[in-house]
Each structure stands twice: as C-alpha cells, then as structure tokens.
Amino acid sequence: MDKNRFVCFLFLVIPVLFLHAQESAGPDRRIEAQGFIAWEKMELSATVSLDLAGAGIILPTGRIQAEDVIRREYTALMRPYILALPYDSSSVLGDLVERGEFSFLGLEEAAASARRGAPVLSPDLSRLSAAFTIDMAALGAQFKRHRRPMDMPRVLLPVPAASWTGIVIIASERLPVHGRNISAYAAPCLFPRIWDSEMNLIYERNTLDSADSLRPLVRYSAEAGIFLDTPSGLSPELEAIVGQKPLRIMARGLFGIRPTDPLIDREDALLILSSENNRKLLREGRVVIVLSDGVLREEL
C-alpha cells in the first residue's frame, strides 16, 4: 500500500473506530454540531455547541478554554458532513477521497477556511456556541484543474438565435428520470451536468473557463427569485449572474443515480450552441438552475 492510499485509509477508518468506541462508552453530549447546507448561497453553515458543566469548565475564567475546545473539535465534527457533500450525480466528496482522486487535506483546508462567528453564551450560561460557514464555491474551485475549457459540441446546421445574457433552467417540479420508471425533484450538487433530449452532454465542470476558478458551475435558486416585479423578473443576485435578458428553459427530465442533471430539449440546446455569444455564457458559468424550495436547504 503506497503512502497516499495508507493516509487515506487512516483518514477514513480512524473516525469510524473512534465513533464505535464512543458508542460503546455512551454518547458524548458535551459538544455537538448542528447545521444546514444553503444551496442558494453555496454555503455549509454549522453551530458548534459546548456543554460547559459537562466539560468541567467554570465561567468566567474558563471561557478562553471553552473557545479553544470548540476550535479544536470543530473540524472533527464537520468532517463527516463535508465528506457527504454531493459532488455530482454519482459521487460524494468522500468517494473521491477513497478513490484517491482528491486529497483529504483539501477538505481539511476547506474546514479550516470557514468564516467563524463570535462565540456566544446561551441565556442560562450553560453552553458556549460558535457559528462556522464554509464557502462551497471555494471548495469546488479545488476541483477545477483544467487549463483550458473543454471544446463544446459543434452544430452542423446552426439555428437563428438571439444573444442572451445568461441561461436559466427551470427544474422546480417533479420530472421523469431518464432510464428509470420514476419521477423526482431535481437535487443539487457541486457539479451538475446538463444534457439535451438526445443525451448529448451540453455542460459540465470542464466547460468553465479555468481563469474564473472561483465562479461556481451553476447557481441554484427558488422559483421566487425568477418571478419578481422587475424588468428582468429576477432578483438582484441572479441578475448579477445571468443579466437582464436570460434564455429561460424548462427542463424536460433528469439524469443520474442521484437526479442532479437536468435534460433540456434539443431545440433549446441548439439556441445555445448555434451562437458564439451564447456558448460563451457556458464558459463563463452564467447558468442558474431553479429547484424546488424543499431541496435548497438540507439539514445536517
């Protein structure tokens, strides 16, 4: 077993052994984490809370000690949630680490880079809590390793197409899942793909211009963000991404083990691929996918 695989083995197995030992001795409730993933903001937020009495800490002299405990334990508490983040339609980040396709050190760096709120005491002074927020767009940027964007499919017979300022794909209703006799709500992930109705791949991670590495592959939105009483109908946050005149497309289906990938009509795909300006929108990541409200926030 080479060094990298051995390190990954330790990283994945030791936490399991530790949790088993904890279960055998009874749950340790002195410190815990609660949180959620906000896909519209591309943020993973968590609050780490320490039971002061259970940890043998007395205020006010022990406050600095309590803050140190939270800071030390935060990464271990958050590691399972980071590993469980959906990467694409078939993998979570932990799968990539296990396969040796990504270093767990990158995940540790993502945890360490979290924005930290000021620790606060509960009203009864029994617990000290601190909020942490991980930028998932910055985490996803670690996977953009290509030097130039992937060539897009060529269109032999281009169709007349307006010059749009962005692309909005509406996939907020239950849709049929390709190859399976079921329907489902589209699910978010870090790197969804977009296919046309003939199963041609239109958009994926390597389509992005690597020069803009911090831009997410897509932005997610609820329906409320695209039906506003404004000239574009969009919220200011979405308008900053897809402009005032985006091409709006209704998804016709979904694809993937986890249904993260929208399918669009071939005719809509041609409107994008027939124009150099519109192909550029994909390279710049000016894509919004509209999802059901129920999937945009995931409790940890």
Side-chain angles (χ1 to χ4, degrees), residues 189-205:
C189 67
L190 290 177
F191 295 109
R193 298 179 178 92
I194 298 173
W195 307 79
D196 71 14
S197 52
E198 297 178 2
M199 295 311 296
N200 297 303
L201 182 60
I202 304 301
Y203 187 54
E204 58 113 71
R205 173 172 57 90

Side-chain angles (χ1 to χ4, degrees), residues 86-123:
Y87 174 79
D88 59 16
S89 65
S90 62
S91 301
V92 297
L93 293 188
D95 295 329
L96 275 68
V97 173
E98 187 175 6
R99 295 196 298 259
E101 297 174 13
F102 188 66
S103 168
F104 74 88
L105 294 178
L107 305 183
E108 299 287 281
E109 290 172 2
S113 68
R115 301 193 307 274
R116 181 188 177 198
V120 295
L121 285 165
S122 63

Side-chain angles (χ1 to χ4, degrees), residues 49-103:
S49 177
L50 177 66
D51 178 352
L52 299 174
I57 295 174
I58 300 174
L59 296 176
T61 56
R63 174 156 183 153
I64 293 178
Q65 178 188 356
E67 292 182 11
D68 286 341
V69 171
I70 289 175
R71 186 164 46 249
R72 290 198 309 269
E73 297 298 325
Y74 153 74
T75 300
L77 287 168
M78 293 305 300
R79 187 180 295 129
Y81 303 122
I82 298 174
L83 288 170
L85 279 173
Y87 174 79
D88 59 16
S89 65
S90 62
S91 301
V92 297
L93 293 188
D95 295 329
L96 275 68
V97 173
E98 187 175 6
R99 295 196 298 259
E101 297 174 13
F102 188 66
S103 168

Side-chain angles (χ1 to χ4, degrees), residues 9 33 43 52 86 92-93 114 147 158 182 193 199 235 245 247:
F9 171 81
E43 292 179 345
L52 299 174
V92 297
L93 293 188
R147 295 184 178 180
I182 61 171
R193 298 179 178 92
M199 295 311 296
S235 68
K245 189 185 175 185
L247 171 62

Side-chain angles (χ1 to χ4, degrees), residues 164-168 203 208 212 215-219 238-243 246-247 278 280-288:
W164 308 98
T165 58
I167 300 166
V168 175
Y203 187 54
L208 280 181
D212 194 6
R215 181 185 288 273
L217 185 67
V218 302
R219 291 283 188 177
L238 295 184
E239 191 172 298
I241 299 165
V242 296
L247 171 62
N278 295 340
K280 184 179 178 183
L281 300 177
L282 297 180
R283 288 195 293 269
E284 294 180 351
R286 298 191 179 278
V287 179
V288 166

